[in-house]
Amino acid sequence: MLLCTGCTNDMETISMFNNRNLPSQELKGAEVRRSERGVLQMTLEAPLIQQYQTPEAKTVYPKGVELQFFDNQQQLRTTLRANYAISLDERNIMKAQDSVVVIDYQNGDTIYLEDIIWNSNEDRIYSNHSVRAVNGQRVTYGDGFVSDQQMQNLRILRQRGTVEVEE
């Protein structure tokens, strides 16, 4: 009687455990610092970083990421936060999305974006989606955002207007 019973495997369940779905490396509580000639340029903090090698090399920040950019005097210039980010390693592109906030400490702007793309091959950070910038009681709306990869010269594209907000 026991010989008649067998084991069946659901192919969907088996494919879930395929190596392409699992990270090759995982790092918790990460803090990365980038400097040039001993001068701190940027820090990256993430609660979880996952690296995948197949089918395309990528690094995923599933629980969010915070980047801090510093000037030559090592003063904090800009902060970028997002609830999710992915870096396509071979293309040198990082995309942050889900509640992206950029704080520009030089001019006091806090910029809210749907997503933002960092293309290091082109030396720029940009977004083609709606943007809202708040500076004190002034709110500016736009349809895009662009900056160099050091987060200097931040610019809102296709500004639709500035609104003074009274409390």
Side-chain angles (χ1 to χ4, degrees):
M1 194 68 139
L2 289 174
L3 294 174
C4 294
T5 61
C7 176
T8 61
N9 293 316
D10 179 20
M11 292 309 290
E12 220 172 281
T13 304
I14 292 172
S15 68
M16 184 174 77
F17 293 101
N18 186 334
N19 283 341
R20 285 190 270 172
N21 296 332
L22 299 174
S24 59
Q25 294 181 3
E26 192 170 86
L27 179 62
K28 295 180 180 176
E31 183 175 326
V32 178
R33 295 173 183 264
R34 183 176 84 184
S35 62
E36 187 173 304
R37 296 184 182 138
V39 177
L40 181 64
Q41 293 181 322
M42 182 198 79
T43 64
L44 179 149
E45 295 179 17
L48 178 64
I49 299 176
Q50 298 174 323
Q51 289 188 319
Y52 296 83
Q53 298 303 315
T54 57
E56 179 181 24
K58 64 184 175 185
T59 305
V60 179
Y61 307 84
K63 295 185 177 183
V65 65
E66 179 173 327
L67 299 162
Q68 296 179 326
F69 298 88
F70 297 88
D71 62 18
N72 291 335
Q73 287 74 40
Q74 307 224 336
Q75 298 296 315
L76 182 60
R77 187 179 58 241
T78 309
T79 301
L80 184 149
R81 285 188 211 110
N83 289 339
Y84 176 86
I86 184 168
S87 177
L88 304 175
D89 300 336
E90 294 173 7
R91 297 187 208 174
N92 294 320
I93 294 174
M94 181 179 195
K95 180 178 183 180
Q97 60 192 44
D98 189 12
S99 302
V100 178
V101 178
V102 175
I103 302 172
D104 181 354
Y105 295 102
Q106 288 182 330
N107 64 19
D109 283 338
T110 301
I111 304 168
Y112 301 91
L113 306 116
E114 293 177 32
D115 64 3
I116 194 165
I117 299 169
W118 180 357
N119 187 329
S120 62
N121 290 338
E122 297 176 1
D123 188 32
R124 72 183 186 130
I125 298 175
Y126 66 95
S127 177
N128 295 321
H129 295 100
S130 63
V131 176
R132 179 174 55 107
V134 178
N135 187 318
Q137 293 182 334
R138 187 184 74 207
V139 180
T140 303
Y141 296 92
D143 293 323
F145 168 89
V146 68
S147 174
D148 61 8
Q149 69 181 9
Q150 287 77 32
M151 292 296 280
Q152 295 179 347
N153 306 315
L154 309 174
R155 223 171 15 131
I156 296 174
L157 304 175
R158 297 178 296 283
Q159 290 187 20
R160 292 193 306 268
T162 301
V163 177
E164 293 288 334
V165 179
E166 293 182 26
E167 293 186 28

